[in-house]
Amino acid sequence: MTGILYFSSTGNSLYISKCIQEKIKSKIFYIPTYNGDGSEFDRIIIVSPIYSFGLPYHVYNIIPTLSKHTPVEIVLNYGGMISGADYFTYMHAKNSGLNIRAVYTIKMPENFTLSYTVPKFYLNSILKSAPKRIKKVVNFIDNNTVNIPKSKKTKDKVYFKNKSNWYKIGQDFHVNESCISCGKCISLCPINNISFSNNKIVFGDKCVACLGCYQRCKQKAIQYKDKKKSFRYINPYINENDIGKNI
Ligand SMILES: Cc1cc2nc3c(=O)[nH]c(=O)nc-3n(C[C@H](O)[C@H](O)[C@H](O)COP(=O)(O)O)c2cc1C
């Protein structure tokens, strides 16, 4: 059985995982709650967004813990710039001793939108053409293609510097008067960084910058600094409640 291990805050990676599952018999696991090492699978497919030209916290951390014998393929998705994240990921897996066979990249809608609104026509065109791009990668995976990234240029320094500052994003979040104290942000945070204090939502100092709370709050009550942006993104092809589930 193939194991698909995914991380996703706004559903793009979950959607890609489901497209793979339609073609390849597999079970999908959410990385932050997955406790295994992948040795129960005969093949591991990791599906992850690109963060700061590298990987989200949970994906970066799980790679060295995975079985060294099981073949691994990684499907990255991104909003605008890969800048060597595919080679960075390949090297991270290889240096961790994994049997890494392929890294793919797929363009999807951008979700790092704290200071930016994705124009509607652009968002729609990316969404409309996404299934075709995903299908191409799924076919490569189905054919067991070996795919090693060609360009060796990475932005490791930028990645590690940005990563060390991600915790500040949580500290720059606050909730406005639209907050109904539903606690959704608390339950979806992958690092348990959000809690109630005196009946008010507060953010701790462990934020991993996934922006799940910001994007998925129905009231748009979570605000970043004084930006007052109304644009929020969730992949429309999936059921939002499935983000974070094993399927
Ligand atoms: C903290 C953070 C950093 C990001 N960095 C990049 C990046 O370096 N390059 C890029 O093209 N997209 C970047 N993105 C956008 C996501 O990779 C992209 O929107 C992805 O499809 C989101 O996947 P998800 O919906 O499964 O969470 C970033 C997003 C976040 C939240």
Side-chain angles (χ1 to χ4, degrees):
M1 163 78 86
T2 295
I4 300 177
L5 307 181
Y6 79 102
F7 181 77
S8 188
S9 59
T10 56
N12 291 341
S13 307
L14 175 61
Y15 174 57
I16 294 168
S17 302
K18 287 187 160 190
C19 292
I20 299 171
Q21 194 181 46
E22 272 173 24
K23 181 104 183 191
I24 297 169
K25 195 170 160 30
S26 51
K27 188 141 189 340
I28 299 176
F29 295 88
Y30 181 54
I31 290 176
T33 52
Y34 174 71
N35 290 319
D37 69 352
S39 56
E40 68 271 39
F41 309 122
D42 36 51
R43 175 185 201 178
I44 298 170
I45 301 172
I46 298 174
V47 184
S48 169
I50 289 174
Y51 277 13
S52 303
F53 317 131
L55 293 166
Y57 171 88
H58 292 88
V59 183
Y60 186 84
N61 286 357
I62 199 173
I63 285 178
T65 72
L66 293 175
S67 156
K68 312 293 179 235
H69 307 291
T70 316
V72 176
E73 286 133 296
I74 303 181
V75 181
L76 300 174
N77 63 102
Y78 65 100
M81 278 198 292
I82 300 170
S83 300
D86 49 351
Y87 191 68
F88 171 86
T89 301
Y90 172 74
M91 285 312 293
H92 180 46
K94 201 170 160 57
N95 291 336
S96 302
L98 299 196
N99 178 6
I100 175 82
R101 293 179 47 82
V103 180
Y104 299 100
T105 54
I106 302 175
K107 167 113 173 120
M108 292 297 286
E110 174 68 54
N111 73 350
F112 195 78
T113 57
L114 295 173
S115 318
Y116 164 69
T117 297
V118 184
K120 211 170 186 175
F121 75 93
Y122 183 63
L123 177 62
N124 288 341
S125 84
I126 300 290
L127 278 170
K128 202 171 158 207
S129 52
K132 208 170 155 190
R133 287 189 295 278
I134 297 170
K135 195 172 171 196
K136 213 169 145 187
V137 170
V138 173
N139 283 336
F140 281 130
I141 296 174
D142 197 35
N143 290 327
N144 288 309
T145 312
V146 172
N147 191 51
I148 314 296
K150 287 178 190 69
S151 169
K152 294 188 168 43
K153 276 195 195 141
T154 61
K155 293 209 170 178
D156 302 34
K157 277 194 190 136
V158 180
Y159 170 66
F160 288 112
K161 185 165 184 279
N162 285 357
K163 194 179 179 202
S164 69
N165 285 319
W166 285 343
Y167 76 97
K168 290 182 188 163
I169 290 184
Q171 297 186 331
D172 284 330
F173 279 148
H174 64 275
V175 291
N176 67 14
E177 61 291 343
S178 317
C179 177
I180 54 166
S181 298
C182 66
K184 178 180 175 182
C185 53
I186 297 177
S187 55
L188 64 76
C189 177
I191 195 102
N192 297 323
N193 190 46
I194 310 175
S195 56
F196 277 121
S197 175
N198 295 329
N199 256 343
K200 210 177 168 221
I201 290 293
V202 290
F203 298 85
D205 59 4
K206 294 188 297 188
C207 180
V208 289
C210 77
L211 313 190
C213 58
Y214 176 83
Q215 300 286 12
R216 291 170 58 192
C217 171
K218 290 254 181 309
Q219 279 64 38
K220 300 184 183 181
I222 298 179
Q223 300 287 328
Y224 178 66
K225 294 185 175 170
D226 59 357
K227 300 281 182 208
K228 298 198 173 105
K229 284 267 168 206
S230 64
F231 179 84
R232 299 289 186 275
Y233 173 74
I234 300 171
N235 184 297
Y237 298 142
I238 48 115
N239 177 348
E240 189 215 328
N241 294 326
D242 283 347
I243 303 174
K245 285 195 181 149
N246 301 333
I247 295 160

